[in-house]
Amino acid sequence: MDDRTLYERCLDGDELAWEHLVRRYQGRVCSVAYSYTGSDEEAMDVAQEVFIRVWKRLDSCRDPERFAAWLLRIARNACLDHLRRRKARPPAQDVPAEDLASLADPGKRPDADVQARDERDVLEIAMQRLSPINREAILLKDIQGLPLEEMADMLDLPLGTVKSRCSRARVELARIVGGLIGPGPEAEATS
Amino acid sequence: VTGNPFDSHDRRRRFDDPDLTRRILDQTSGRACGRAEELLGGRWDGMLAAGDQELLMGHLDRCPACRELSLILDRLQPALPGLAEREPGPAFTARVLARTSRRQPVPNTRYPGRLERLAERLEHGLRRLWQRPRFALEAAWTAATLAALLVWGPLAPADAPDQAANLVRSGSAAVPELVTRVQQLKDSALLVGREVFGPRLDRLEQRVSRLTARAEHLRTEGLALWRSLTGDDGPDDQTDQNRRDDQRPPADE
C-alpha cells in the first residue's frame, strides 16, 4: 500500500493503517535520530517523540505523496530540539574530569579506539566523526535519499550551497573512512 | 642522460614525468587535488559535465592520493543507504501505539485544522455551559427577561400589557390557557426541530414530553393550591381537556 493511501486511512482513524505506517518508518526515524544523538537509547526516545508529534499533526501534511520527506523534516526538528534540551540541561551530578574517560562508551564514541572492522560499524563511526553540518548532509542526501531540492527546502539553503555541502561532506567522510580502514593496497604500493 | 635522445617515444615518456608536473604546478597554480575533490564529491549526483569528467580522470591517473579517495568513495556510495534504517526493537512499536492510537481519529476535513479546532472548542464550551450547576436558574432568568421584553418591550403589541394583566387577573382560569399555549409551542418546536436536528429529534421529543408532563403536574398542584386558598372550584379537568382537544389540529385521515 502506498504512502498516500496509508496516510488517508490514518486520517480516517484506521489504527491498523497507523500501525503499518509506524512499522514502515520507525527504522528510518531511528536511524535519523541516531545520527543526531549518537546514542541508541536517546534515538529511541526521540523516535517515539517524533511519531507522537506526527500523530498529533497528522492533518497538516500538505502533500501525502511526499509523506516521507515530511516525516523526516519532523524527525530532524525533533532531534534538534532534543539536542538543544540536552545542551541546556545541567548534568545530574558533577563528574570529575578525570573520570569522564572511563565513562565513555568505547564502541560508539568518535574518539574511541576502533576495533570493529565491519563495514557498517566503520561507516557509523565515521559518521559520528563527521562535523555536524557534513553529517546532516550525508544523512539526508546519501543515506535517506532526499532529493537536493527537498534538502534545500528543509535546510532553508540555496540549491548550490546544498550541492557543494554534500560534495565536501562525501570527501570528508571518505577521508575518515580511509583513516579507519588504513591505507589501501595502492597507497601502500606507492609509499 | 639516459635513453636515446632521437627516440620520440622515449622523449615523451621522460617529459611526462609526474615530478616535473608537480614542480611546475607548485610554482604556478598549486596542486589541483582540491578541485579534483570537489568533482569527486559531486560525481555521485551524476551531474558532472563531460569536460570535468575527462579532466578528473586525467588527474586520477597521475595522483595516487586522489585515486585512493576515489576508490573509497566508490565503495561508500552503495554502502551508505544501508544505514537508512535502524531496528528499534520489538517494544518500540507497541510503545508508540500505546501513546497514540487511544486518541480519537483525526477527521479528514476539507479545511484541515481550523474548522475542526473551532468546532471542537465550540462543542467543549457548550458542554461546559450545559453542565454548570446554575445553568437551569440562569436559563429561567433569561426566559423571564425575554418574556418581559416581549410583553413590555418596544416591539410588543400595544395591548400586550393589558393582555398580560388580564391573564394574571383571570387567576386559575388562565392556567389551562397557558398549558394549551405550551402545548402549541411544543408542537411548533417539534416541527422546527424535526427539520433542523433530524436524528436527534427522538431525544428532543422525549425531553419535551417530560417537560409537558411536569407542566401538567404543576398545573394540577397549582389548581389544588388555588382551591385550598380561595375555596373557588375553578375550571374542572374535563372542561380543560375538552378545550385542549378542540384547539388541537385535526389528525390526518
Side-chain angles (χ1 to χ4, degrees):
Chain A
M1 191 178 286
D2 62 2
D3 281 354
R4 171 181 271 280
T5 314
L6 263 184
Y7 171 79
E8 284 171 353
R9 281 184 171 227
C10 289
L11 275 183
D12 290 336
D14 186 338
E15 296 192 345
L16 273 179
W18 171 243
E19 183 183 340
H20 196 83
L21 204 68
V22 172
R23 286 192 198 284
R24 178 178 288 182
Y25 283 107
Q26 63 185 26
R28 287 182 74 173
V29 172
C30 285
S31 167
V32 170
Y34 180 80
S35 289
Y36 282 95
T37 62
S39 146
D40 270 327
E41 197 180 333
E42 286 180 65
M44 298 304 134
D45 290 344
V46 174
Q48 192 172 324
E49 183 61 32
V50 168
F51 280 106
I52 291 166
R53 280 192 196 187
V54 167
W55 175 257
K56 285 180 180 169
R57 303 176 195 170
L58 202 53
D59 57 345
S60 62
C61 176
R62 289 180 196 160
D63 185 1
E65 300 288 352
R66 293 160 62 201
F67 176 81
W70 179 71
L71 176 68
L72 289 180
R73 184 187 291 253
I74 291 180
R76 175 179 179 263
N77 290 338
C79 290
L80 295 180
D81 288 348
H82 175 80
L83 292 181
R84 273 188 218 109
R85 279 199 302 271
R86 189 167 73 178
K87 199 174 175 183
R89 194 169 49 215
Q93 58 182 39
D94 290 337
V95 180
E98 57 269 23
D99 292 350
L100 286 175
S102 62
L103 290 175
D105 178 357
K108 300 292 182 186
R109 296 296 164 188
D111 53 355
D113 250 357
V114 181
Q115 296 296 327
R117 283 290 179 264
D118 179 54
E119 188 177 65
R120 188 184 172 103
D121 287 348
V122 168
L123 281 178
E124 283 185 350
I125 293 165
M127 281 293 289
Q128 290 301 314
R129 289 189 182 187
L130 276 174
S131 63
I133 287 180
N134 285 349
R135 183 165 61 234
E136 187 169 62
I138 295 282
L139 171 71
L140 297 177
K141 179 72 184 77
D142 298 324
I143 295 181
Q144 295 298 334
L146 281 186
L148 285 167
E149 293 78 10
E150 192 82 57
M151 264 183 80
D153 187 38
M154 185 185 288
L155 304 178
D156 198 20
L157 289 171
L159 189 61
T161 307
V162 173
K163 276 184 193 173
S164 58
R165 189 175 282 186
C166 286
S167 177
R168 277 199 304 273
R170 288 161 186 162
V171 172
E172 189 190 342
L173 183 69
R175 282 192 196 290
I176 294 171
V177 169
L180 289 173
I181 61 177
E186 189 165 346
E188 279 175 349
T190 314
S191 63
Chain B
V1 176
T2 56
N4 182 356
F6 300 104
D7 182 351
S8 64
H9 180 71
D10 188 39
R11 198 165 54 232
R12 201 181 312 127
R13 189 163 47 83
R14 279 191 289 127
F15 293 162
D16 240 5
D17 181 5
D19 281 344
L20 177 61
T21 313
R22 194 166 57 240
R23 281 201 303 275
I24 293 170
L25 290 178
D26 283 347
Q27 293 179 49
T28 54
S29 65
R31 305 231 177 135
C33 294
R35 172 73 181 138
E37 285 173 6
E38 275 178 35
L39 297 180
L40 274 175
R43 197 167 53 166
W44 287 5
D45 297 326
M47 288 184 286
L48 217 56
D52 285 342
Q53 178 76 17
E54 187 186 336
L55 292 174
L56 180 63
M57 296 315 288
H59 177 82
L60 293 180
D61 277 349
R62 287 164 178 78
C63 178
C66 287
R67 193 160 54 244
E68 182 72 22
L69 202 63
S70 171
L71 288 173
I72 295 173
L73 278 167
D74 288 345
R75 282 175 60 188
L76 283 180
Q77 188 175 14
L80 281 174
L83 299 183
E85 299 215 3
R86 194 173 184 83
E87 183 52 50
F92 179 83
T93 318
R95 278 208 309 272
V96 170
L97 294 178
R99 290 190 61 187
T100 54
S101 297
R102 268 179 282 173
R103 272 184 46 142
Q104 290 297 310
V106 183
N108 188 359
T109 55
R110 190 176 169 194
Y111 303 104
R114 287 186 196 165
L115 270 182
E116 179 58 29
R117 277 194 293 274
L118 184 67
E120 202 172 297
R121 277 214 302 269
L122 192 66
E123 189 184 335
H124 183 65
L126 282 175
R127 190 172 290 133
R128 281 182 57 197
L129 189 68
W130 179 258
Q131 288 170 350
R132 284 174 60 203
R134 299 187 63 174
F135 180 77
L137 184 66
E138 287 163 357
W141 270 109
T142 309
T145 309
L146 281 174
L149 280 174
L150 282 173
V151 173
W152 287 290
L155 297 176
D159 59 342
D162 294 335
Q163 283 185 7
N166 289 337
L167 207 63
V168 173
R169 271 189 223 106
S170 62
S172 63
V175 175
E177 181 69 23
L178 278 174
V179 171
T180 310
R181 291 197 179 178
V182 167
Q183 185 71 32
Q184 287 172 347
L185 208 60
K186 183 197 93 169
D187 292 339
S188 310
L190 282 177
L191 202 65
V192 174
R194 190 172 285 116
E195 289 175 4
V196 176
F197 295 106
R200 299 187 181 178
L201 183 65
D202 289 343
R203 255 191 322 180
L204 185 68
E205 196 163 9
Q206 283 170 7
R207 279 190 186 176
V208 174
S209 299
R210 278 202 299 273
L211 276 175
T212 314
R214 207 174 288 174
E216 186 69 26
H217 179 68
L218 279 174
R219 183 188 75 85
T220 316
E221 284 191 348
L223 276 175
L225 186 64
W226 182 269
R227 282 173 191 146
S228 67
L229 287 175
T230 62
D232 181 12
D233 283 345
D236 60 23
D237 286 349
Q238 189 57 46
T239 316
D240 293 346
Q241 188 63 45
N242 292 342
R243 189 180 298 172
R244 280 200 300 275
D245 289 343
D246 291 345
Q247 289 177 350
R248 272 196 191 129
D252 292 335
E253 294 297 327

